[in-house]
Amino acid sequence: MCGIVGAIGLNNPLEYVQKGLKMLDYRGYDSAGIGFFSNGIDIIKDVGSVEHLMSITPQNIQTNLIIGHTRWATHGSPDIRNTHPHISFNKRICLVHNGVIDNYKEIKDFLFEKGYRFYGETDSEAVANLLEYYYLEKKDVKSAIKETMSLIIGSYAIVFFTNNDPNTLYLFKNSSPLVIGVGDGFNLVASDASPLVKYTNDFIELDDFSFAVINEKEAKVFDREGNPIQAKIINKDIELISHDLKGYPHYMLKEIEEISPVINRIVNNYYINNKYQFDPQLIKDLNESDHIIFIACGTSYHVSLVGGRYFENYGKSASRFIASEWAFHPTFPGQKPFVILISQSGETADLIHCLNIIKQQNLNNLIITNTGGSTLDRNSHYSLLLHAGIEVSVASTKAYVAQTTLLALLAASLKDDYSVIDDLKHCIEVVEDIQNNYKPIIQKTAGELKDHQNIFYLGRSYDYFLSLEASLKLKEISYIHSEAIPGGELKHGPIALIEDGLPVIVFITDPTTAASMRGNIEEVKSRGAKVYVISTRSLSQQGDTIIVNDYAPYLSSVAISTVAFYLAYYVALAKGLNVDKPRNLAKSVTVE
Ligand code: F6R
């Protein structure tokens, strides 16, 4: 899970690399490095942040070509030996890599036999040496790439240059993203388009098993056999991939505050002229299937719990699976299942694993993702984009709401039910009201919670699904242990954990479960818990902590997840933690 940048022919390449790596450090941030060409191959790298790397990098580097990398360790500890770029044994190749080479041990054994030795533990160093081996044997870089691609198994986005050509960058990929930014007199490369947008509007998204040779004038793309491919130049909506903080102190806060416009944008994108805008064939396939299988991870899995219920409400049977579980025991309920994968990044390795199984089984599939051009977007049968704008904060917020909103629309479109449109528009008002008026009370509550070691969330039905997400958000950025429990399950075990002063946060937004939840509150209160109730106006009672305006209860993940997100944000802030980049986590989980 790493970020890659590269530039050739740019006036100030160091500025591009510095800003680009900063934008990409959501992909990992335990070490960073750059490679460039002065009199030959030169590298500067160290453990730590991109800021640290830049503090040890002379600002007067003269080079026509540069590559950079920010790493999140997978193979080998985050130390200097394993930090990218890697230089091959005979110092002919300088390379950065994102992904995982599954057969790197075999590659290393093969090279060891040929006299190669390794300074680190990474799979990436093995690729640098393999490229060099074939480069020296074939005396031609393109042949070396072809041979290397035919031998390595796994996911990779690789950018490299050689010791005798200061004017060419080479790149090749499989299952990990790599985008070329086409400029006037320069060309750029990055793991996603965000670092490129300041420089160009024209992008080439490299296909799997293709490679590219770029210099300052042109970008030539080839298939795995080395045949030239006419690369398609794509324009992107720059506003949606901009990393501008727009005056906010953190991306997470900015992204929470984008939730109401995001709901609006999705509705306007998929509902035009009083009609849903989904591909009619997709709707037909969904209607003709007898079972919907949802597969996702983390926050996106929580969305699948809600989405599954939406489809059930329209008469479909549905199952929900965690990708890393399903991948090893795939089950295919129904005679004619349809699989819906959900992934904000579109690059989650566990889900890519599942998609490969789904394709082998020839099952109809749809990806719901925020990332056009991502691996899952390009390789699934149908794709629906969230148009939520890039999410930089590691903790997903607006994408969670966007995914839920899109599933509400999609499920309703199966039966041409348009009532959801008004319900969603009403949610926008509820969210805006929370954004405008509730931050002080949420901040006050956060202050009371911040020093606790354990916090429980309770809810039933849709409020339980929301509790799961609220709890995940709190634990990942505040490092407070937290659990979400369905109200009815309390007595079946978890109530043993309730003790004096333990904070229990309870969602009550659904009339069908409100009375039972009030019963649960009495049970935990009588055992000493300090209860914080988040309720809707018509179900509220005196003493509730946060009371929001009413909305259609099935939309609780759309309407009041904003409260849960603010709460996690303000707790982490009060604890002085790095809100946008919690420890041990990366935004895009590209390894299984
Ligand atoms: C938590 C979070 C993660 C992701 C999970 C799946 O805030 O963001 O739990 O939801 O890693 O990622 P995607 O949705 O990109 O497949």
Side-chain angles (χ1 to χ4, degrees), residues 475-494:
K475 73 177 81 143
E476 71 180 311
I477 64 167
S478 76
Y479 316 147
I480 295 175
H481 168 248
S482 167
E483 284 191 40
I485 300 159
E489 278 292 290
L490 257 184
K491 286 197 279 296
H492 300 287

Side-chain angles (χ1 to χ4, degrees), residues 297-301 342-348 351 376 391 394-397 403 469 472-473 476 586-589:
C297 312
T299 289
S300 298
Y301 171 71
I342 309 171
S343 173
Q344 185 282 128
S345 63
E347 297 294 346
T348 302
L351 218 51
L376 287 161
E391 199 179 56
V394 165
S396 183
T397 54
Q403 290 164 341
E469 178 56 15
L472 175 63
K473 214 87 313 174
E476 71 180 311
K587 182 72 184 162
S588 187
V589 187

Side-chain angles (χ1 to χ4, degrees), residues 193-236:
S194 49
L196 312 177
V197 296
K198 204 180 133 219
Y199 298 86
T200 178
N201 260 358
D202 295 334
F203 305 97
I204 298 171
E205 279 163 355
L206 220 52
D207 281 331
D208 284 348
F209 301 112
S210 63
F211 68 93
V213 179
I214 66 174
N215 58 34
E216 54 196 47
K217 295 210 179 69
E218 55 184 358
K220 288 186 184 157
V221 182
F222 303 88
D223 68 14
R224 64 204 302 173
E225 312 300 340
N227 304 309
I229 303 174
Q230 191 56 46
K232 206 165 81 202
I233 296 192
I234 317 163
N235 289 110
K236 284 186 183 265

Side-chain angles (χ1 to χ4, degrees), residues 193-194 197 236-244 246 254 258 261-262 265 269 344 370-372 385-392 398:
S194 49
V197 296
K236 284 186 183 265
D237 182 341
I238 288 181
E239 185 54 29
L240 292 185
I241 45 180
S242 159
H243 276 232
D244 190 352
K246 301 213 163 117
K254 171 176 175 269
E258 285 170 349
V262 162
R265 197 178 310 132
N269 200 71
Q344 185 282 128
N370 200 25
T371 317
L385 296 181
L386 299 173
H387 303 291
I390 190 161
E391 199 179 56
V392 178
K398 63 175 176 174

